[in-house]
């Protein structure tokens, strides 16, 4: 096989040098349950000499995925609990998710929607389902923001995206449209003029949240793709998942956040990994996550600080879970901890 084709099967993984031939049969038990796709850009990034390569860990299937823990669940963040019509998740009053497509250019081994995405997943909305989803948004005046996610909405053709955006353009109360995507990193060439024109087609404020978890993902090509979006007037923010063996290291995390800021992508969300089936090998404890996030405070600029977020299982929404640096002492007095770990009275005594 050539390096320029998306890797989709255990045989492809062997031929691309991503797994040994002796593992092909065993890995096919994983791929029978969870889809594989590794784009050429990502395949090129993998260091095949490093058995612990953080890029491979995110995309190459692993036997550990067959171990499903009792606390794990198919719908870890409770999308279905808040889905009034197919393709819409209405969890918070002023915004909805519009899940137009459940296909991705790559499949992340830790994906929180791994039971829903892929060719066997929930698919793409039919024209009738899309009509009902748009009618729902149109009929709910409180919806200020529409978040296109999935799947990866940027796998849709510019024509299809443009059609969705034109329909959102007609809904007066929608002011902001946000896309969540990995495309600028995993298929940077897809970010071309027709795609950018489609993204801007609603005339609303357009945001793109870029998903990347390791600084090596922000290649020259990925940064150039982000620059094309930003230079066209699209605001970019980041989202990352804190992952054991990928970015659970203060230096790597700092480098990742700096790489985003250098790319003009404002660090936004750092997710605690969700309780998706077969992903326990990626999860660290909340305390470990809090310590890593606290380590960013003195180490990197305020521009580089993301919010550390836990999606509460059951569909109860997001909660910031960063360790607090302030303790109430009563009587309007507090103890505040600085980035070196030193404690100070507030207001100061004497
Ligand atoms: S791109 Fe997003 S939706 Fe697709 S597999 Fe990765 S985490 Fe899941």
């Amino acid at each position: 096989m050539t390096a320029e084709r998306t890797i989709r099967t255990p045989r492809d993984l062997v031929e691309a040098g991503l797994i040994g031939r002796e593992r092909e049969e065993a890995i096919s038990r994983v791929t029978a349950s969870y889809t594989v796709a590794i784009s050429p850009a990502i395949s090129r990034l993998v260091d095949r000499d490093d058995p612990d390569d953080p890029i491979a860990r995110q995309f190459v299937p692993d036997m550990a995925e067959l171990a499903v823990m009792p606390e794990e669940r198919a719908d870890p963040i409770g999308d279905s609990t808040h889905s009034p019509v197919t393709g819409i998740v209405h969890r918070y009053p002023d915004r909805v998710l519009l899940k137009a497509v459940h296909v991705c250019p790559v499949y992340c081994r830790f994906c929180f929607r791994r039971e829903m995405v892929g060719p066997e997943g929930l698919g793409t909305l039919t024209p009738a389902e899309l009509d009902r989803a748009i009618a729902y948004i149109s009929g709910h005046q409180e919806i200020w923001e529409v978040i296109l996610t999935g799947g990866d909405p940027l796998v849709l053709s510019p024509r299809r995206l443009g059609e969705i955006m034109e329909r959102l353009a007609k809904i007066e109360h929608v002011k902001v449209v946000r896309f969540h995507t990995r495309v600028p990193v995993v298929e940077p060439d897809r970010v071309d003029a027709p795609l950018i024109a489609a993204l801007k087609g609603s005339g609303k404020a357009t945001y793109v949240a870029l998903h990347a978890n390791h600084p090596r993902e922000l290649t020259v090509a990925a940064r150039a793709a982000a620059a094309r979006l930003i230079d066209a007037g699209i605001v970019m923010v980041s989202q990352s998942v804190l992952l054991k063996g990928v970015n659970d290291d203060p230096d790597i995390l700092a480098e990742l956040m700096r790489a985003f800021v250098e790319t003009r992508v404002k660090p936004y969300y750092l997710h605690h990994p969700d309780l998706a089936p077969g992903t326990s090998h990626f999860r660290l404890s909340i305390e470990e996550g809090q310590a890593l996030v606290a380590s960013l405070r003195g180490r990197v600029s305020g521009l580089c600080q993301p919010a550390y977020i836990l999606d509460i299982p059951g569909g109860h929404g997001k909660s910031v879970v960063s360790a607090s640096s302030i303790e109430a002492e009563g009587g309007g007095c507090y103890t505040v901890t600085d980035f070196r770990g030193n404690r100070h009275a507030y207001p100061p005594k004497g």
Side-chain angles (χ1 to χ4, degrees), residues 59 103-114 117 149-152 181-182 211 239:
F59 301 103
V103 174
C104 303
V106 290
Y107 290 101
C108 312
R109 308 321 300 166
F110 52 86
C111 176
F112 66 125
R113 294 203 178 107
R114 61 187 333 209
V117 297
T149 180
D152 194 319
T181 183
R182 251 194 182 293
H211 175 183
Q239 60 166 350

Side-chain angles (χ1 to χ4, degrees), residues 127-146:
E129 285 169 339
L130 183 61
D131 286 349
R132 283 195 287 276
I134 297 283
Y136 181 87
I137 297 168
S138 187
H140 287 258
Q141 295 281 331
E142 71 275 21
I143 298 172
W144 171 83
E145 181 182 23
V146 175

